Amino acid sequence: MAHDLPGWVAELTDPRRAQTLDELADRLVPMAEHAIDVSRRLQTLLNELNDPFKREALYGRVERLKARAGEALEEITGEIAASGQERVDRIWAGWLERLGPGPAEHSGHAEHSGHGEHSGHGEHPGPADARGHADDRDGPGAPGGPDDPDRPDDPDRTRELRGRLDAEIVPLVIRQQREAAERVAASTSAGLEEATKLLLSRVEELATAVTDLIHDVLPLAREGLSLAGRISALSTQARQAGRGPIPGPLLEAGAETSRAFDEAVARLELEWAALGARSASVRAALRGAEESAFSQVTNAMTRCVEELAPGHVRALNEAEVKAESLLEELTRR
């Protein structure tokens, strides 16, 4: 603010206070530079306002949207894959538990230590009792018997079971994962296409408004530069007039130039401040359009996941049921 500055500032920058030709010329120089400064600041702000609408900026905005959509899709497909892997791990853990040490452990401990686990009848059966319970429950080929190939510590049997799981169950899970991922990818692609169209449409609409604004303000910046040129010419004229008192025509020209400067700079400064606020609004609008476009994509992805989730879980359940049937078939051999 002017009242915050020392008094000599106005004294040395107002041509109307000049008493001699040298003083007039001296005061016209900073006035011209002031006009140039405010005009350039306004032009810089206009350029900044226009930058987001250049081809490179538009391309970058669309690429950012695609990249974010790709990251979101990768996260969802990762979750789909994880759900399938968790189901396979659960099936395999269930197999191992079904074929686990159980009676075989009882037998092994009994043979080495002379007593078995508690039978639940208040006694500790010996080796024969433990084997007898196993035989009574499951017959001669019961899993876990000392000669049973289904014992979990039998590497060959374990590899065979895992091979059957990988050959007959895992492909079902993988196929379901792939189908779910393809549906989400297709939904993402469609959502991204629509969101990109809307984003570009909004950016184009905003660019039209900004272009009109620039065309309205740019003449003011040029007016300031033109005024600076006239002030510089008047300063040169004062220098060339020699020394001493200011002649009437130059005195009048200096006063008229000062009034024109005050009016022009006031308009330029006001427009610069208003344009700064408008520029911030434009940047916020662009950011809002970009975020809205990304939300449009993620909403499409979310709807797709919600639609396919029941079928995905049902397919995994069916794979688990088939795995149970396969295990029963393998253990009956």
Side-chain angles (χ1 to χ4, degrees):
M1 300 280 299
H3 62 267
D4 294 330
L5 301 176
W8 59 262
V9 173
E11 177 68 27
L12 298 183
T13 57
D14 188 353
R16 287 165 292 196
R17 298 193 182 191
Q19 300 296 321
T20 66
L21 287 168
D22 285 339
E23 290 179 356
L24 177 61
D26 291 343
R27 285 159 175 74
L28 289 171
V29 171
M31 179 181 285
E33 292 181 353
H34 188 167
I36 292 172
D37 174 72
V38 68
S39 296
R40 286 179 175 173
R41 281 191 283 120
L42 190 58
Q43 286 184 327
T44 298
L45 199 54
L46 289 173
N47 290 334
E48 292 176 357
L49 188 60
N50 185 59
D51 284 344
F53 302 99
K54 292 181 179 179
R55 181 181 299 274
E56 297 79 6
L58 293 175
Y59 177 79
R61 188 165 286 109
V62 172
E63 288 303 307
R64 281 196 302 273
L65 177 60
K66 290 181 179 179
R68 294 177 68 185
E71 291 172 359
L73 177 60
E74 184 177 350
E75 181 178 350
I76 291 178
T77 54
E79 292 175 355
I80 292 173
S83 68
Q85 184 60 48
E86 288 173 3
R87 187 61 65 98
V88 171
D89 292 343
R90 189 170 84 178
I91 292 172
W92 178 239
W95 281 23
L96 293 180
E97 185 178 356
R98 290 273 299 277
L99 300 173
E105 257 188 6
H106 300 168
S107 175
H109 287 310
E111 292 174 20
H112 290 295
S113 62
H115 62 81
E117 294 290 325
H118 195 283
S119 65
H121 299 290
E123 58 183 358
H124 300 277
D129 292 332
R131 286 193 297 271
H133 284 302
D135 294 343
D136 291 342
R137 183 175 64 248
D138 297 319
D147 299 322
D148 186 3
D150 285 343
R151 288 182 61 179
D153 55 355
D154 184 335
D156 293 337
R157 186 55 171 163
T158 300
R159 281 194 296 271
E160 179 187 356
L161 290 174
R162 186 68 204 197
R164 293 295 297 272
L165 180 71
D166 291 341
E168 301 186 34
I169 304 303
V170 172
L172 300 178
V173 175
I174 293 177
R175 183 176 64 190
Q176 174 57 31
Q177 290 174 345
R178 183 172 59 251
E179 291 176 355
E182 288 175 352
R183 284 184 58 184
V184 176
S187 177
T188 302
S189 179
L192 179 60
E193 182 178 357
E194 291 300 318
T196 301
K197 289 180 180 178
L198 180 58
L199 174 62
L200 293 178
S201 174
R202 285 174 169 170
V203 171
E204 182 179 359
E205 184 178 2
L206 189 58
T208 300
V210 168
T211 300
D212 292 341
L213 177 62
I214 291 174
H215 288 165
D216 289 341
V217 176
L218 189 57
L220 292 176
R222 292 172 178 166
E223 178 185 340
L225 294 176
S226 176
L227 176 61
R230 294 199 305 272
I231 295 172
S232 295
L234 184 60
S235 176
T236 300
Q237 185 179 352
R239 296 286 187 195
Q240 294 174 347
R243 298 178 182 277
I246 305 172
L250 278 179
L251 189 62
E252 184 179 348
E256 178 62 29
T257 300
S258 296
R259 287 192 294 270
F261 170 83
D262 290 341
E263 294 175 2
V265 169
R267 289 197 304 271
L268 289 171
E269 292 285 6
L270 182 61
E271 195 62 49
W272 177 77
L275 193 61
R278 185 64 59 86
S279 180
S281 298
V282 167
R283 289 194 299 271
L286 288 171
R287 184 63 174 171
E290 194 170 337
E291 289 301 312
S292 177
F294 178 64
S295 294
Q296 185 176 344
V297 177
T298 56
N299 288 340
M301 298 169 70
T302 300
R303 288 193 299 270
C304 179
V305 170
E306 290 174 349
E307 292 172 359
L308 66 82
H312 180 66
V313 173
R314 185 166 54 251
L316 295 181
N317 290 340
E318 292 173 355
E320 189 167 1
V321 170
K322 184 171 183 179
E324 290 295 320
S325 300
L326 177 61
L327 179 60
E328 291 178 3
E329 174 188 337
L330 294 174
T331 54
R332 283 199 301 267
R333 292 188 310 168

